[in-house]
Amino acid sequence: MFNKKVGLAVAAILLAPVAAVAADAPPAAFNQCKACHKVEAGKHGVGPSLAGVYGAKAGHAEGYKYSDNHKASGLTWDDANLAKYLADPKGTIPGNKMAFAGLKKPEDVAAVIGYLKTLK
Ligand code: HEC
């Protein structure tokens, strides 16, 4: 018979090393962002560099030309605002120029925010 406790313990042991190795690696969902965003400070693509974005104010990256609506949003990129924005960029900041529909899965939003926190 399947023992649920043993099964969970085995799963935890098997998954733990993977989680440790992957701590600072981008989650799969971040691949969609790479088309427009670089993670090195000062390097911009279609979108601004995401280095240091966590905890910063909207429009944080120097040398990048943001839309007026984006700058005027006054948002600070904490967990709550990032979660809203990444799920629905256009709904969160109407008229901003990030041409991205949004991440549909909450677990992808959480994984991407966790990764953004590691970008200094
Ligand atoms: C098609 C290109 C494109 C894609 C794909 C895209 N972005 Fe953006 N992103 C932009 C642009 C352009 C802006 C600037 C918006 C403005 O100025 O109105 C932006 C702005 C941002 C900002 C605000 C930065 C700041 O300094 O205020 C964050 C955070 C962000 N994007 C995260 C992401 C994440 C995470 C993904 C993937 C889930 C993603 N973006 C996908 C183009 C894109």
Side-chain angles (χ1 to χ4, degrees):
M1 220 178 92
F2 179 70
N3 182 323
K4 206 170 169 192
K5 265 194 191 155
V6 172
L8 286 176
V10 169
I13 290 164
L14 291 176
L15 289 175
V18 176
V21 168
D24 282 1
F30 193 74
N31 285 336
Q32 305 166 67
C33 321
K34 284 189 195 160
C36 300
H37 290 289
K38 297 202 186 321
V39 298
E40 296 86 6
K43 289 202 179 165
H44 310 306
V46 173
S49 161
L50 292 179
V53 74
Y54 185 82
K57 283 221 153 220
H60 86 292
E62 266 183 46
Y64 179 81
K65 197 168 175 356
Y66 291 90
S67 67
D68 291 341
N69 288 9
H70 188 91
K71 279 185 296 187
S73 70
L75 293 178
T76 295
W77 296 126
D78 56 15
D79 286 85
N81 286 334
L82 277 171
K84 261 197 261 172
Y85 182 68
L86 296 181
D88 183 11
K90 289 270 164 343
T92 307
I93 306 180
N96 93 90
K97 62 174 185 175
M98 172 152 127
F100 180 68
L103 293 169
K104 295 299 163 235
K105 296 189 199 155
E107 60 267 35
D108 285 348
V109 171
V112 168
I113 294 175
Y115 176 62
L116 292 181
K117 286 180 185 174
T118 69
L119 302 177
K120 299 287 181 273

